[in-house]
Amino acid sequence: MIQDASLMRDRLGYSLFRDSNIVAPRAMHAKLLINGQLEGLFIAVEQIDGRFTRARFGEGGEGNVYKESWVTMRSESQYVNALETNSDAPVVTGMLDFQRAVSTSASATEQFVDREYMMRYVAVDRVIVNDDGALHFYCDVDSPNYLGTSHNFYWYEAKDIARFWLIPWDLDLSFDATPWVRVQPAWTAQAACTCVPPAMYDAQTPPSCDPMVKHFLTWRDDYERQVDKFISGPLSDQRVQVKLNAWSEQIKPFVKEAAGVRRSPSESEWQTGLAQLRSKIASARANRGLVY
């Protein structure tokens, strides 16, 4: 949580995804000592692996887990290298079929994903301004026609049916934590499909240029409905404040104890960061995400 003085973004973000019926890991704060030496206050996040999927997916959870493998890659070896499960006898034909469907049409893509689930995911992701996640397409300015790749997500592929589920990861920069990590332009904005040179932001291609995101845009009405449900439900002021207040009381003694250890925030820095987070949440709620 080194870039998050509030020490809350990861835990809150995962909680909001879970409250929106998105498969996401559990997370909690943890005081870490090594040989009795205090190392600081950390976030302990459940790993995305076979045990995780077996606990979450009713079809058994024995399918493939891929880390950071967006469906624009065409090489079998790329998907094999991304496997977190079943890597001893890798079979990635399902992911290759998924990739071909995405390159074909929205209706073909819908044979591989649950449309409502995907729009819930995008709604939470965009409203909490998870700008270091699946919809931020980093690119190489030396290759201006390169669409770019995103990170901080997993795919789970069901074992016996052609179905894929997106799982969020690494939410410490959510709620507009830093000005230099930002999806630019907005995911819905049409723009030239080139690698935008870095200014304040890292080089990236507009999300609307990505084949999968293009299909998301045809489901825009579903997305807007999910945003409404998220803002009035999991992100409502009452529900969020209950969490933040409870967690703040829980970790306050340990924030004091760890102040200054390995760049841990002081109590006053933490309180300032927490106030800023509350303000970012209010803005996200009022503006349906980031104001562009």
Side-chain angles (χ1 to χ4, degrees), residues 110 115-116 119-120 123 216 218-229:
E110 201 168 349
R115 176 169 166 174
E116 181 179 329
M119 290 302 93
R120 284 204 309 273
F216 292 167
T218 69
W219 304 338
R220 181 75 180 273
D221 290 345
D222 297 314
Y223 164 78
E224 297 295 347
R225 283 193 291 272
Q226 295 300 334
V227 169
D228 290 338
K229 290 181 181 179

Side-chain angles (χ1 to χ4, degrees), residues 8-18 128 171 174:
M8 291 290 179
R9 282 175 166 84
D10 265 314
R11 188 172 180 179
L12 179 62
Y14 289 125
S15 174
L16 291 170
F17 270 109
R18 294 195 309 272
I128 72 170
L171 306 177
S174 57

Side-chain angles (χ1 to χ4, degrees), residues 103-171:
S103 67
T104 301
S105 67
S107 59
T109 300
E110 201 168 349
Q111 301 304 308
F112 289 84
V113 297
D114 183 293
R115 176 169 166 174
E116 181 179 329
Y117 179 93
M118 291 304 298
M119 290 302 93
R120 284 204 309 273
Y121 187 107
V122 177
V124 177
D125 184 89
R126 292 298 75 221
V127 173
I128 72 170
V129 197
N130 181 32
D131 278 3
D132 196 29
L135 295 187
H136 189 146
F137 295 95
Y138 295 91
C139 62
D140 181 355
V141 292
D142 294 327
S143 303
N145 295 320
Y146 181 55
L147 283 180
T149 56
S150 55
H151 70 167
N152 290 335
F153 64 89
Y154 290 81
W155 284 107
Y156 171 67
E157 175 190 3
K159 183 178 181 180
D160 296 320
I161 56 174
R163 216 59 167 173
F164 287 79
W165 308 90
L166 196 56
I167 301 169
W169 185 251
D170 199 356
L171 306 177

Side-chain angles (χ1 to χ4, degrees), residues 136 138-142 180 184 194-205:
H136 189 146
Y138 295 91
C139 62
D140 181 355
V141 292
D142 294 327
W180 57 86
Q184 186 73 21
T194 59
C195 188
V196 179
M200 176 179 285
Y201 314 112
D202 291 329
Q204 59 187 290
T205 51

